[in-house]
Structure formats: structure tokens, C-alpha cells
Amino acid sequence: MTCWYEGPLAAFDTETTGVDVETDRIVSAAVVVQDAPGTRPRVTRWLVNPGMPVPEAATAVHGLTDEHLQRNGRWPAPVMYEIAEHLAEHAAMHRPLVVMNAPFDLTLLDRELRRHRASALDRWFEASPLLVLDPRVLDKHLDRYRKGRRTLTDLCAHYEVSLEGAHDAAADALASLDLVRALGRRFAARLERLSPAELHTLQTTWHAAQARGLQAWFARSGTPETVNTYWPLRPELPAAA
């Protein structure tokens, strides 16, 4: 029987106006699907006119300018709907979805749906739950004592995964997918008997423990930063009183 990391996988990634999931916007997104290792991936891309200026710092990362997005990007409302529908199709097929640092991309998508469609992301997965594989959470759990950063670029270098055209949504999604396959092979003894559904549940616990550990480190170092323990989607912030 084929192990999940040798079978069909999809991957999702976004490029954005910044790093605040509550206020920043999606400017591009991609879903990459691969039926088996070495097979040609199928790529779906979206380019979005976010309706707000793109900070120079964000453009410096992904190269998408205001002018380009205004000329070529689509309005957010239909794009967010299409992305959610696309992800729901994979969930219905029980195809795992790879999302590097899932709480960022999925929460941002949720907020965009609430903003433009008055609907939460969870609505699309009431019939078939989303099965998320997050290479960042998996790596931090499986090789927890390794020192060094764990960005997508760093993890790809560590696991010898090709990452060409970093900070392009499709390139990052494909690299994340290949990275999960590499993690599966490297830690096969610990992963091959677990189903994607079981891994999804375990990652919820692993991420929470990782977040608490990072919060404790921040406290010891005097860093006034709060680490969110929710995975793969952060709950909506309560409305201001």
C-alpha cells in the first residue's frame, strides 16, 4: 500500500501585502497538485488586486507592484471564493493539503473570505474536513533539537529540496509539497503508519506545544510578543466592545 507521502498531495501558498493576518491582504495565490513523486504538477494561480497599496517592503519580497496588480489582478471577492472552492474539492477527495506555516495562509484566507464574502473558511469544510500537512510543524516535532532557522528556504536546504523562484506562490507551494515528501521519507519509521487525518490531529497538539515553548523563550528574553497556539486556523478575534 502506498504511503501518504508517496501518493497524491496538493499544496497551497499565498503572497501578501504583509504579515498581519487580521489586516493584510492576499495579492497572489497558488494551488499545486501532484499525483505521485516525479509526476508533472498541475498548477492553478490567482493574481489579486487587493484594493489597497502594497508596501514597498512586500513588493521587495515577491516583486508584485501596485501597477502590475491594478492592471492584471482580479477583484478579491470572486478569487477568494474560487480558492475556497478549490481547497474544498481536494478535501472532498481526501487529498492532503500541504501548507507551510498553515496558520498564516489559512487564517489570512479566512479573513479575506469574511471581508469580501461574509463567510468563514470553515464553511467550505463542513462536509469533508481539510487534512493539512505543515512542514514547519512536522520538522520542529520530528527534529526538535536541531539548531537554526526553519523558514521554507532553510528547510529546503536542509532536506535538499529544490526551491526555484522563492516567494512566488506556485514555486513555494511546490517546494513545500516536495519538502513534505522528503520529511516523510526521512522519518518514515515514525510517519508511515499514521494517516493524514491522524497527522492533522497530532499537528494541532504539536504546534500548541511548540508555541508554548516559544512563548516561554520570549518571556525569558524579555520579548513582548504573543505566540498563538491555534493550528491550522486561528479563531476570529472578538469584536471590539
Side-chain angles (χ1 to χ4, degrees):
M1 185 175 179
T2 302
C3 295
W4 58 263
Y5 51 83
E6 302 290 1
L9 294 175
F12 173 61
D13 189 72
T14 66
E15 297 300 328
T16 68
T17 60
V19 296
D20 188 332
V21 296
E22 303 299 337
T23 60
D24 279 304
R25 310 296 173 89
I26 293 172
V27 296
S28 71
V31 172
V32 174
V33 182
Q34 189 183 46
D35 294 325
T39 61
R40 186 179 182 86
R42 303 185 296 278
V43 181
T44 305
R45 303 171 183 264
W46 294 269
L47 193 66
V48 186
N49 180 348
M52 64 178 288
V54 180
E56 291 183 3
T59 296
V61 172
H62 50 58
L64 297 171
T65 64
D66 279 332
E67 180 181 6
H68 180 74
L69 293 171
Q70 289 170 13
R71 287 186 176 182
N72 302 286
R74 297 169 58 202
W75 290 115
V79 171
M80 302 311 150
Y81 180 86
E82 288 174 17
I83 294 173
E85 285 283 295
H86 209 75
L87 299 186
E89 290 174 7
H90 294 298
M93 291 185 284
H94 307 291
R95 179 179 288 144
L97 182 71
V98 178
V99 190
M100 174 71 183
N101 192 17
F104 178 78
D105 294 85
L106 294 181
T107 303
L108 193 54
L109 175 59
D110 174 78
R111 303 311 191 252
E112 289 277 54
L113 286 164
R114 292 173 187 270
R115 184 178 295 121
H116 298 289
R117 306 289 307 194
S119 181
L121 180 60
D122 283 342
R123 195 207 93 185
W124 271 266
F125 305 107
E126 291 172 349
S128 299
L130 194 61
L131 302 177
V132 178
L133 299 172
D134 187 335
R136 186 169 182 266
V137 174
L138 291 171
D139 174 71
K140 288 181 74 172
H141 177 77
L142 295 165
D143 198 0
R144 68 182 69 183
Y145 300 114
R146 188 181 81 250
K147 296 186 182 298
R149 290 158 49 87
R150 300 184 193 238
T151 66
L152 178 61
T153 301
D154 296 314
L155 293 182
C156 285
H158 179 73
Y159 288 97
E160 299 181 341
V161 168
S162 175
L163 173 54
E164 299 180 4
H167 301 298
D168 168 83
D172 287 357
L174 179 58
S176 298
L177 190 154
D178 289 340
L179 183 56
V180 161
R181 294 199 192 280
L183 273 158
R185 296 184 193 108
R186 174 89 52 103
F187 298 100
R190 299 165 65 182
L191 294 177
E192 63 184 356
R193 295 183 182 180
L194 295 170
S195 69
E198 290 170 327
L199 269 175
H200 180 103
T201 300
L202 286 169
Q203 286 170 100
T204 304
T205 302
W206 295 345
H207 177 270
Q210 292 162 9
R212 288 192 294 269
L214 182 57
Q215 188 71 75
W217 186 85
F218 282 153
R220 291 193 300 270
S221 62
T223 302
E225 187 170 339
T226 301
V227 184
N228 198 299
T229 60
Y230 287 93
W231 182 97
L233 178 65
R234 298 175 188 170
E236 185 183 20
L237 290 176

